[in-house]
Amino acid sequence: ISLEMAKELNDKGQECIVLGNIGLLYLEQKEFKLSEEYLLNALAMAVELDDIEGLKELHEGLSTLYDVTKKTDKAFYHFKEFIRVKTILSDEENKKEIQREEIKYEYEKEKLASQKEQEKRDAVALSEQKRQQHVLWLVLGCLGIVILFSGFLYNRFKVTKAQKHIIEDQKHLVETKNKEILDSIHYAKRIQHALITSEMYIERTLNELNKDKKN
C-alpha cells in the first residue's frame, strides 16, 4: 500500500525507501530472490536520486544478501561500496561538523567582540558618570565657598554699616559740640565787644566832663 501511494504521489524518495524496506524484509524471511529484486530496484532509484544515506543502507543489505547466498564477488563489491558511501557520509558529517564548529567559533567570536564592545561602552559610561560626579562635587564645593564668602561679606557689611552708624553718630555729636563751642565763643565776643564799647563810652564821657570843669 505504501509503495502504491508513493507511486501515485510520484514521490520517488518515499518509493525508494519503501522498496528498500521490502527488500530487507524479504532478506529476513530468507526470500533471497525477491529481496535481491527489491533491493536492486531501490539501489537504482537511490543512484538516480543521489541518496547517499539510502545507498549506504542498500549496499549493506545487498552485501549481506550475497554473503548469505555465497555470491562472494558481489558481496565483496557491495561491501566496498558500502564502505565507500559510508566514508562519504562520514566525510560529509565531518564537513558539517567543521562547518558547525566554524559557525560556533564565528558566533563566539562575534559574541566576545560584542561583549568587549559593551564592556568598552560600560567603561566609557562609568568614566563619564565619575567625571560628572567630580564636576558636581566641584560645583558644590565652589557653591559652598561662594556661600561662605557671601556670608563673610554680608557679616562684614553689617559690621561696616554698624561702624558707619557709630561714626556718623560721633560726627553728629562732634558737630553739635563744635556748634555749641562756636556759639559760646560768638556770644562771649559779643559780650566782650559790648563791654569794650561801654568802657570807651564811659572814658569819653569822663574826658568831656573833665574838660568842662576846666573851662
Side-chain angles (χ1 to χ4, degrees), residues 1-16 18 22:
I1 297 174
S2 298
L3 181 61
E4 292 176 357
M5 287 181 61
K7 287 181 178 180
E8 288 179 3
L9 295 172
N10 196 26
D11 187 347
K12 291 190 176 183
Q14 185 63 29
E15 184 179 351
C16 178
V18 173
I22 293 173

Side-chain angles (χ1 to χ4, degrees), residues 67-193:
D67 183 60
V68 170
T69 56
K70 308 299 182 182
K71 296 179 181 179
T72 308
D73 291 341
K74 290 183 178 182
F76 183 64
Y77 168 76
H78 286 287
F79 179 74
K80 287 194 301 180
E81 288 299 304
F82 164 71
I83 297 299
R84 183 181 67 81
V85 175
K86 184 178 179 181
T87 302
I88 292 173
L89 281 173
S90 179
D91 290 341
E92 287 184 355
E93 186 60 33
N94 289 336
K95 288 180 181 178
K96 288 179 181 179
E97 183 62 27
I98 291 172
Q99 288 177 349
R100 284 194 292 269
E101 290 297 325
E102 287 177 349
I103 292 171
K104 182 179 178 180
Y105 170 75
E106 290 297 326
Y107 171 75
E108 292 295 334
K109 186 169 72 172
E110 290 179 3
K111 183 179 178 181
L112 181 61
S114 178
Q115 287 178 346
K116 288 183 177 180
E117 187 64 26
Q118 185 61 42
E119 288 174 358
K120 184 178 179 181
R121 286 196 294 267
D122 291 342
V124 171
L126 182 60
S127 176
E128 179 64 18
Q129 184 179 2
K130 288 183 178 179
R131 188 188 69 81
Q132 290 178 356
Q133 287 178 347
H134 290 159
V135 171
L136 178 61
W137 283 115
L138 180 62
V139 170
L140 290 175
C142 291
L143 183 60
I145 293 172
V146 170
I147 291 173
L148 290 174
F149 187 67
S150 298
F152 173 77
L153 289 178
Y154 178 71
N155 185 59
R156 292 301 304 168
F157 172 75
K158 287 176 67 177
V159 172
T160 302
K161 189 175 181 181
Q163 290 176 344
K164 184 178 179 182
H165 283 310
I166 293 172
I167 292 171
E168 288 179 352
D169 291 341
Q170 291 177 346
K171 181 181 178 182
H172 180 69
L173 181 61
V174 170
E175 289 176 351
T176 302
K177 293 295 182 181
N178 285 339
K179 186 175 182 304
E180 289 177 356
I181 293 170
L182 289 174
D183 288 344
S184 298
I185 291 171
H186 290 155
Y187 182 70
K189 282 185 176 181
R190 283 197 299 272
I191 293 173
Q192 185 179 12
H193 184 266

